[in-house]
Amino acid sequence: MATMRRTSSLGQDYFEGIFARDDDPWELASSNYERAKFERSIAAINDCRYAAGLEVGCAQGVLTQKLLPLCDRLLAIDISAIALKRARLALGPQPGLMFAQMAFPRQSPDGRFDLCVLSEVAYYWERADLMAAGRWLCEHMEEGARVLLVHYTGDTDYPATADEALGTLEHATHELFASRLAERHQQYRLDLWERT
């Protein structure tokens, strides 16, 4: 039986509830699956250094800690105040690391970036928000910048599947980004785009 999918982007209340109920939702800090996925994610982008990175949906900062050594500056954002509090406590003050509460893409940072990490977030957004995220990427990513997209491919009740979310983002970026990697793993897909 197919899962009934949500039609609207998942909002702050949804994520605050998840983080209020569980110290490690999705077992980001404890599962072998997440550890292997994070290792593959870093391996896909660790061939160069980034002046300004953005991580959308940093949760409690598990991937953030792995991204920081690759970036001169890293802005880690999340919709959840609880998640951000945990990330700040876990990572402490570190040079170049900033946190901000934002409901991306409706709230988005200014400035230019040469790395954007969308790991397990795009399928939470309805089509209008996916289109807005694509426009933001076009307007704020430097020439040669990279976008890393990693998403679970199993059945969920989210507004989009991984494939639908990536397809809409691709449409919204008007072919300004070229695919450098497109991998299918057992439970997730990993895509690396580069601004041409």
Side-chain angles (χ1 to χ4, degrees), residues 9 12 25 40 52 56 59 68-69 83 93 104 114 131 154:
S9 295
Q12 182 178 355
R40 181 64 204 120
V56 177
L68 187 56
F104 189 89
D114 57 355
M131 295 297 289

Side-chain angles (χ1 to χ4, degrees), residues 152-153 160-168 184 189:
Y152 173 69
T153 52
T161 66
D163 293 344
E164 289 167 349
L166 271 288
T168 302
R184 292 270 180 175
R189 62 179 290 177

Side-chain angles (χ1 to χ4, degrees), residues 50-103:
Y50 304 93
L54 172 67
E55 180 190 11
V56 177
C58 67
Q60 66 263 39
V62 179
L63 181 57
T64 313
Q65 182 68 62
K66 300 175 188 308
L67 292 169
L68 187 56
L70 304 181
C71 302
D72 294 337
R73 291 177 289 114
L74 177 63
L75 173 60
I77 66 173
D78 203 279
I79 195 172
S80 166
I82 297 171
L84 286 168
K85 182 177 179 181
R86 290 181 186 159
R88 286 185 176 106
L89 285 171
L91 276 66
Q94 297 194 47
L97 177 60
M98 297 158 289
F99 290 102
Q101 185 176 2
M102 292 184 186

Side-chain angles (χ1 to χ4, degrees), residues 86-156:
R86 290 181 186 159
R88 286 185 176 106
L89 285 171
L91 276 66
Q94 297 194 47
L97 177 60
M98 297 158 289
F99 290 102
Q101 185 176 2
M102 292 184 186
F104 189 89
R106 295 177 187 188
Q107 299 170 318
S108 55
D110 294 324
R112 308 283 292 180
F113 297 86
D114 57 355
L115 175 67
C116 180
V117 177
L118 300 172
S119 181
E120 310 287 3
V121 293
Y123 44 36
Y124 294 138
W125 304 328
E126 63 190 54
R127 180 176 175 80
D129 284 339
L130 286 164
M131 295 297 289
R135 288 191 297 273
W136 185 92
L137 291 171
C138 291
E139 294 166 4
H140 293 271
M141 300 301 290
E142 298 281 7
E143 186 175 343
R146 289 171 161 184
V147 181
L148 179 68
L149 307 111
V150 186
H151 290 88
Y152 173 69
T153 52
D155 196 27
T156 72

